[in-house]
């Protein structure tokens, strides 16, 4: 994480550009100091004007530290400043520290985004499930996009709310990198399977949609923990299968996808509850169609 207002007695060790220098602290750890014009005219061994230090980053050791150093050397200073300010605000909104690695991960990501935008390229991403499952992180990411856009004087694409939400979820929930993206790809695929089976676009503002997405998330978590639902009344399993044949068929498609994606087969009880949720969505979609 970035720290502000820290004083450093060590002289400059490396001068990377006009805004970035590296020092070695008393423990032998490398720290990157940033500030507008901080390193202008400095040479290794020169004293540092601490009034110009705006941000400090403690570098990890090994390849990760080398990667982070390349990011900070390459990224425009105003992007780093915009990101760290937005993350400071997100920490206040979420009421917790987000870790020292998040600012560099977001800077690295957004630098690539800005490069793509300069080439006229975008990567559309819509995941209404994120707002349902992680409302606080989604709201904080929305504010981050607004803040960074204002600081840069150019709007970031709307889809960046999705990507920044994933970064925040990884940071707040302690998930390894990529875990959140994998979870939501699977949730999104299951939602798309249901939409295709019903032949409608689900209303992502409805309570039934929110309940369904939560059910899918918990289903995938139960799968990971080998704690799937079992031992329900089998007569009710048969009842739902015969009473709601279309929804049951869609639930079977979901079962097929889950097995292909995870190698685990849903129990009859899990398929039954999936059928019930799909049927509720089908009824809601029918009511909406009738009303229109």
């Amino acid at each position: 994480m970035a720290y502000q207002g820290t004083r450093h007695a060590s002289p400059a060790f490396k001068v990377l550009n006009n805004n970035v220098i590296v020092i070695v602290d008393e423990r032998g750890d490398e720290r990157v100091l940033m500030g507008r014009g901080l390193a202008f005219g400095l040479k290794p061994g020169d004293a540092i004007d601490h009034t110009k230090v705006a941000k400090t980053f403690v570098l990890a050791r090994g390849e990760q530290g080398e990667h982070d150093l390349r990011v900070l050397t390459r990224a425009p200073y105003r992007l780093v400043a915009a990101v760290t300010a937005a993350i400071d605000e997100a920490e206040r909104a979420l009421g917790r520290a987000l870790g020292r690695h998040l600012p560099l991960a977001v800077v690295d990501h957004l630098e690539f985004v800005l490069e793509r935008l300069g080439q006229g390229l975008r990567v559309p991403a819509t995941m209404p499930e994120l707002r349902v499952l992680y409302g606080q992180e989604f709201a904080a990411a929305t504010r981050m996009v607004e803040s960074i856009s204002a600081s840069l004087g150019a709007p970031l694409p709307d889809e960046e709310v999705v990507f920044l939400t994933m970064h925040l979820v990884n940071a707040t929930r302690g998930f390894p990198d990529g875990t959140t993206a994998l979870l939501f790809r699977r949730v999104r695929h299951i939602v798309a399977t249901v939409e295709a089976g019903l032949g409608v676009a689900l209303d992502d503002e409805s309570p039934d949609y929110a309940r369904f997405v939560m059910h899918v998330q918990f289903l995938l978590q139960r799968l990971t923990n080998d704690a799937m639902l079992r031992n329900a009344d089998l007569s009710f399993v048969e009842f739902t299968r015969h009473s709601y044949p279309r929804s049951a068929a869609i639930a079977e498609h979901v079962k097929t996808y889950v097995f292909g994606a995870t190698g685990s087969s849903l129990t009859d009880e899990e398929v039954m509850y999936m059928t019930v949720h799909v049927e509720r969505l089908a009824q809601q979609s029918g009511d909406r169609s009738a009303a229109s």
Side-chain angles (χ1 to χ4, degrees):
M1 178 56 199
Y3 300 93
Q4 290 183 302
T6 305
R7 293 189 60 82
H8 305 280
S10 305
F13 175 63
K14 298 177 187 175
V15 178
L16 303 181
N17 58 43
N18 284 340
N19 306 306
V20 184
I21 61 176
V22 178
I23 67 168
V24 178
D25 66 18
E26 62 278 2
R27 294 183 299 181
D29 293 327
E30 290 190 346
R31 293 173 178 258
V32 177
L33 310 186
M34 299 192 72
R36 191 174 298 280
L38 170 65
F40 182 75
L42 284 184
K43 301 183 297 297
D46 286 350
I48 299 164
D49 182 353
H50 296 286
T51 63
K52 293 183 178 180
V53 177
K55 298 289 177 183
T56 302
F57 297 89
V58 181
L59 291 178
R61 297 181 183 273
E63 291 184 6
Q64 183 61 51
E66 293 173 3
H67 170 76
D68 292 345
L69 190 58
R70 287 194 297 271
V71 170
L72 290 171
T73 304
R74 184 183 64 230
Y77 175 74
R78 66 174 188 159
L79 174 60
V80 178
V83 167
T84 53
I87 289 176
D88 287 344
E89 183 178 346
E91 288 185 327
R92 290 191 293 271
L94 295 171
R96 59 169 297 164
L98 295 174
R100 70 182 189 182
H101 299 299
L102 181 63
L104 296 174
V106 173
V107 167
D108 193 21
H109 167 75
L110 289 182
E111 188 185 18
F112 186 44
V113 169
L114 295 173
E115 180 182 323
R116 289 201 313 264
L117 289 176
Q119 299 168 352
L121 301 175
R122 289 179 60 175
V123 181
T126 57
M127 285 191 180
E129 301 83 11
L130 282 172
R131 188 180 66 252
V132 173
L133 296 175
Y134 298 111
Q136 286 186 315
E137 287 89 348
F138 186 88
T142 301
R143 178 59 193 138
M144 283 180 66
V145 168
E146 294 170 349
S147 173
I148 294 169
S149 296
S151 296
L152 297 180
L156 292 174
D158 292 341
E159 57 264 23
E160 286 312 306
V161 173
V162 171
F163 297 116
L164 293 189
T165 299
M166 290 183 181
H167 278 292
L168 291 178
V169 171
N170 283 339
T172 58
R173 313 288 166 140
F175 293 157
D177 288 343
T179 301
T180 305
L182 177 61
L183 170 66
F184 285 112
R185 278 200 301 272
R186 289 174 175 172
V187 171
R188 177 97 282 276
H189 192 105
I190 291 173
V191 170
T193 298
V194 172
E195 288 181 322
L198 295 178
V200 298
L202 298 176
D203 178 7
D204 58 39
E205 299 287 344
S206 74
D208 287 314
Y209 177 88
R211 280 191 288 270
F212 175 68
V213 169
M214 291 294 291
H215 173 75
V216 171
Q217 183 200 27
F218 291 141
L219 164 63
L220 294 173
Q221 289 175 343
R222 288 195 296 273
L223 205 63
T224 300
N225 298 328
D226 193 24
M228 282 188 287
L229 300 175
R230 303 177 190 276
N231 301 321
D233 186 341
L234 293 182
S235 64
F236 192 57
V237 172
E238 289 300 317
F239 173 79
T240 56
R241 185 176 295 153
H242 288 95
S243 298
Y244 313 123
R246 182 175 65 158
S247 296
I250 294 171
E252 288 293 335
H253 286 308
V254 171
K255 177 180 179 179
T256 300
Y257 163 71
V258 169
F259 181 76
T262 69
S264 297
S265 184
L266 298 183
T267 62
D268 288 342
E269 290 83 355
E270 292 286 6
V271 174
M272 176 191 71
Y273 282 110
M274 179 64 65
T275 300
V276 171
H277 277 280
V278 172
E279 180 61 24
R280 185 69 192 96
L281 291 171
Q283 292 175 8
Q284 179 205 63
S285 300
D287 293 343
R288 195 168 73 244
S289 298
S292 60

